[in-house]
Amino acid sequence: MATSSGNSDETRRSGASPKPRREVVGGLAKGLAIIEAFDAHRPQLTVSSAAAITGTTPAAARRCLLTLEELGYVTHDGKYFRPTPRMMRLSASYARTASLPLLAQPCLSAVRDELDESASLAVLDDGYALFIERAEATRLASAGVRVGTRLPAYASSTGRVLLAALPDEEFEAYLDGLRPQRLTPNSPATISEVRQRVRRTREDGMAFTEEELEAGVLTVAVPVRDSLGRIHAAMSVSTSTARASLDMLREKFLPVVRREAARLGNTL
């Protein structure tokens, strides 16, 4: 007790202010949670669904959604709330200021230009592959993937690359909280299937998906490693089953993506 009192006296004598307590705005936290609830599988929300997803009360969810509508971030048709293009400003702020997306853009553009397919960069975000940069081809393999899109890590090639980089303890903790769903006939739907596919990704140093998230879409992803071997992100390219096969991804696409991922890694 004497030590504590002495520290207080010393602080008063020096004129220093006590360290302020961290301030948290609860309403802002709830609003951001609702913004994050929108994704490719939930392009629209009702008040009740927003409340259930974010763990807030319907009254709080309604206030947040109406505030977002007032600010122009969502529209409301009387039942459903849907994001507007203004929502893209939030992810654009990160893309314009963070070094990783800026450094990745020339590499992703090189993949796109050489293969004429869309290329993406993703990081792991709370069990999802979060796309932080993308180079769009003139023809899209999927209309649902944009900067800011989050895909279930267990069923996406970028996600499995990022999961494979986790220490064993963190990966097992992720599996403990996972409830996989069979999104397509090809997606893993059990913990055993997810573990097996991630282990194979770790062994191979890359991951393929064949119509696991969306019918007709193929992807290949590789890790982006710095000079110390640390994995910072996953780089991927996607195409359509009408234009390519897994053999083509392995023989033509994989070398290009690996080359550009290594080029990006050399800048980190």
Side-chain angles (χ1 to χ4, degrees):
M1 294 298 292
T3 302
S4 175
S5 175
N7 288 342
S8 298
D9 291 342
E10 182 177 350
T11 298
R12 285 195 293 270
R13 286 195 300 270
S14 67
S17 300
K19 186 176 180 180
R21 295 175 61 187
R22 188 172 63 131
E23 297 181 0
V24 177
V25 180
L28 177 59
K30 293 175 183 177
L32 291 173
I34 287 176
I35 287 174
E36 291 182 348
F38 290 103
D39 60 24
H41 302 289
R42 290 190 295 260
Q44 58 189 23
L45 295 173
T46 63
V47 169
S48 59
S49 64
I53 293 166
T54 60
T56 61
T57 65
R62 182 176 183 276
R63 288 194 297 271
C64 289
L65 286 165
L66 291 177
T67 301
L68 291 172
E69 181 190 18
E70 180 69 20
L71 296 174
Y73 286 102
V74 300
T75 61
H76 186 213
D77 64 7
K79 180 178 181 181
Y80 292 106
F81 291 86
R82 298 178 177 86
T84 69
R86 186 184 182 100
M87 195 79 79
M88 295 180 66
R89 295 186 186 183
L90 303 178
S91 59
S93 297
Y94 173 77
R96 286 193 299 264
T97 58
S99 61
L100 186 55
L102 293 173
L103 292 170
Q105 186 53 236
C107 302
L108 296 174
S109 296
V111 174
R112 176 200 60 200
D113 294 344
E114 187 165 341
L115 299 176
D116 195 23
E117 301 288 356
S118 297
S120 306
L121 191 77
V123 295
L124 194 62
D125 177 43
D126 195 23
Y128 289 83
L130 171 65
F131 289 81
I132 61 172
E133 192 54 278
R134 187 165 165 88
E136 297 279 7
T138 53
R139 53 189 184 187
L140 301 181
S142 170
V145 176
R146 298 286 187 275
V147 171
T149 295
R150 298 199 314 165
L151 298 179
Y154 70 90
S156 62
S157 60
T158 49
R160 287 211 282 268
V161 165
L162 296 166
L163 290 174
L166 293 177
D168 289 340
E169 300 79 11
E170 291 185 31
F171 178 55
E172 290 302 323
Y174 162 80
L175 292 178
D176 286 343
L178 182 64
R179 300 295 180 269
Q181 299 177 348
R182 197 171 294 283
L183 304 171
T184 73
N186 290 350
S187 59
T190 67
I191 297 299
S192 177
E193 287 180 295
V194 174
R195 181 183 283 109
Q196 181 181 10
R197 296 190 193 191
V198 172
R199 283 178 176 172
R200 181 172 180 180
T201 297
R202 186 178 293 175
E203 293 170 359
D204 296 343
M206 52 85 177
F208 293 102
T209 62
E210 183 178 16
E211 302 183 272
E212 292 189 30
L213 278 170
E214 183 179 347
V217 176
L218 305 173
T219 67
V220 58
V222 300
V224 175
R225 300 177 184 270
D226 64 17
S227 59
L228 298 177
R230 297 172 299 195
I231 295 177
H232 291 254
M235 184 179 293
S236 67
V237 62
S238 55
T239 187
S240 165
T241 54
R243 297 192 297 273
S245 64
L246 282 180
D247 285 342
M248 183 180 294
L249 257 67
R250 186 174 288 105
E251 296 169 8
K252 180 180 179 182
F253 287 44
L254 180 59
V256 176
V257 181
R258 274 183 166 159
R259 183 194 71 211
E260 294 304 319
R263 182 158 74 105
L264 174 58
N266 288 336
T267 69
L268 301 178

